[in-house]
Amino acid sequence: MPYKGSDILDRELKKGSAELLILSLVEDRPRHGYEIGNLIEQRSGGLLRFNVASLYPLLYRLEKRGWIQGRWVEKAGQRRRRYYRLTPEGKKILAAQRNSWRDFVEAMNLITGIEIA
Amino acid sequence: MPDWKPEIRVRLRGSRLTATREAEIVEELSQHLDDRYECLLSDGSSADEAHRTVVLELTEGELLANELSRGERMAPTHSVVTGLPLKGGRRNVVVDFWQDLRYGLRMLVKNPGFTAVAVIALALGIGANTAIFSVVNTVLLRPLPYKDPERLVMVFEDSSKHGFPRDVPTAANYLDWRDQNQVFESMAAIAGACDGFVRNIVKTANLSTFEPDNRDLRRL
């Protein structure tokens, strides 16, 4: 019988890290939703994947909190797209979340003995 | 390219978004699904397969409407207490007040029973207060309608041995008091009911001293 707790753990880990992932990806430059979703999948080697139903509610929530800001951008010959950029407040949150995540990972390593190469 | 908008609108039912907000979200999600559909086609999926996959991702766990609805309502990262300044010191009194006012009105409309009881209680309270204040103001607070009312005093005869520490003097005694008075500027006797009060003062004193500025018989 497969271990079901693993699915729950994966889902919870994904939920817990989603904000940090999105904030990190819009740190350097504004990106649209599809690009953010693709980058998460590519950079995680396919381990993490957010589809439309889970990604956009998250983006809107972060926007509502004032951590990212969405803006419709029209480019010649293309449909207008909504690009999200990191706000100054989002930058502070990102820094704080990075620290928390680092501490958490270190604590987990100390307890579980997992070493990251 | 399939038109995803009807599919998205169905999924957004119950998310309680404004029409403008919904239109924006539909446009954005529609673009995402277009991109995803093209990507699946370019990866070798057939049009049917790609369509099925995209719709499946959209409907996954009926997440969209719930999450959007939650996201629109629960955006603040901390609980908002009406009337208190925002975390980090940001504060706009007018905006806060307007927000509190609208919240209060919404709650009142939502609970008509409570609203009716509150309105009746307030109406009764205000009415009772007004009535009591009218009496207190007339009897206690507003000065008597005489010039320098704070200088008016009432003098009684002490008949404690007969059980009347504040007795009314006889007319003869009053006349003696008045004639031998070295303390008061002037003296007058009062007797009888309200209208008699005025009449008797007028009869026993000079008018310039005891004529009320404004004869308000209800207060005499």
Side-chain angles (χ1 to χ4, degrees):
Chain A
M1 194 170 169
Y3 170 53
K4 290 205 174 163
S6 146
D7 290 346
I8 296 167
L9 183 63
D10 284 351
R11 198 169 60 235
E12 292 306 313
L13 280 173
K14 199 168 135 184
K15 256 198 222 170
S17 59
E19 289 181 0
L20 176 60
L21 293 173
I22 291 174
L23 294 176
S24 302
L25 288 173
V26 295
E27 185 184 15
D28 296 334
R29 64 181 182 87
R31 297 181 196 276
H32 54 77
Y34 185 73
E35 189 184 2
I36 293 170
N38 262 354
L39 281 173
I40 290 175
E41 189 173 357
Q42 283 170 16
R43 292 188 184 176
S44 68
L47 272 175
L48 293 173
R49 199 169 163 270
F50 287 87
N51 63 32
V52 65
S54 52
L55 177 66
Y56 285 87
L58 198 52
L59 283 172
Y60 299 148
R61 209 176 308 152
L62 296 181
E63 188 180 17
K64 198 96 178 175
R65 287 177 187 166
W67 297 355
I68 59 174
Q69 189 184 36
R71 197 163 64 92
W72 290 100
V73 176
E74 290 187 46
K75 289 181 182 169
Q78 289 180 18
R79 287 188 302 181
R80 67 174 194 156
R81 278 186 179 277
R82 196 163 164 79
Y83 281 80
Y84 295 91
R85 68 171 186 80
L86 195 65
T87 64
E89 197 183 346
K91 204 167 245 180
K92 286 182 206 159
I93 298 291
L94 175 60
Q97 287 203 0
R98 272 188 177 136
N99 285 336
S100 301
W101 194 257
R102 197 175 295 121
D103 292 346
F104 176 72
V105 170
E106 275 174 20
M108 288 297 290
N109 288 343
L110 287 172
I111 295 165
T112 61
I114 299 169
E115 286 297 330
I116 297 172
Chain B
M1 185 74 69
D3 181 10
W4 308 107
K5 288 180 180 168
E7 290 280 353
I8 297 169
R9 285 202 186 93
V10 169
R11 305 297 183 276
L12 290 180
R13 263 186 216 152
S15 56
R16 286 176 287 179
L17 300 163
T18 62
T20 318
R21 184 74 181 128
E22 185 178 314
E24 270 197 329
I25 290 173
V26 168
E27 184 182 348
E28 191 174 17
L29 299 195
S30 179
Q31 283 176 7
H32 183 106
L33 298 184
D34 283 346
D35 290 339
R36 179 74 180 136
Y37 181 76
E38 278 174 6
C39 174
L40 288 166
L41 288 181
S42 66
D43 282 350
S45 299
S46 68
D48 274 354
E49 282 170 351
H51 186 273
R52 233 186 353 263
T53 307
V54 169
V55 171
L56 196 70
E57 286 177 0
L58 182 65
T59 56
E60 189 177 301
E62 290 300 331
L63 198 64
L64 196 60
N66 293 340
E67 283 294 305
L68 277 179
S69 174
R70 203 166 70 92
E72 295 289 317
R73 285 199 314 271
M74 299 178 61
T77 54
H78 51 87
S79 57
V80 174
V81 181
T82 50
L84 289 182
L86 293 172
K87 212 174 180 180
R90 284 189 295 125
R91 182 182 178 149
N92 185 329
V93 175
V94 178
V95 173
D96 287 353
F97 172 72
W98 184 237
Q99 200 176 17
D100 291 351
L101 192 67
R102 283 189 306 161
Y103 176 75
L105 288 175
R106 275 206 309 276
M107 289 299 107
L108 287 176
V109 170
K110 208 173 165 186
N111 304 295
F114 170 80
T115 307
V117 171
V119 168
I120 291 168
L122 277 173
L124 288 175
I126 292 169
N129 262 309
T130 307
I132 290 169
F133 178 75
S134 299
V135 173
V136 170
N137 186 42
T138 305
V139 175
L140 299 174
L141 301 179
R142 241 170 74 199
L144 290 166
Y146 292 94
K147 200 176 177 184
D148 301 327
E150 71 281 0
R151 298 180 66 204
L152 278 177
V153 294
M154 195 175 265
V155 183
F156 297 92
E157 188 173 280
D158 183 6
S159 295
S160 298
K161 60 183 175 183
H162 298 114
F164 300 104
R166 285 185 161 197
D167 200 5
V168 178
T170 60
N173 277 347
Y174 160 68
L175 290 173
D176 283 348
W177 289 359
R178 190 191 65 184
D179 294 342
Q180 297 164 32
N181 167 40
Q182 294 178 343
V183 179
F184 303 109
E185 189 179 304
S186 186
M187 289 185 79
I190 57 170
C194 290
D195 55 342
F197 170 50
V198 176
R199 194 166 54 244
N200 285 322
I201 284 179
V202 171
K203 279 180 182 169
T204 61
N206 67 66
L207 289 172
S208 63
T209 307
F210 288 101
E211 184 71 11
D213 289 341
N214 175 18
R215 289 186 189 202
D216 182 356
L217 294 181
R218 287 173 305 170
R219 304 192 60 227
L220 296 174

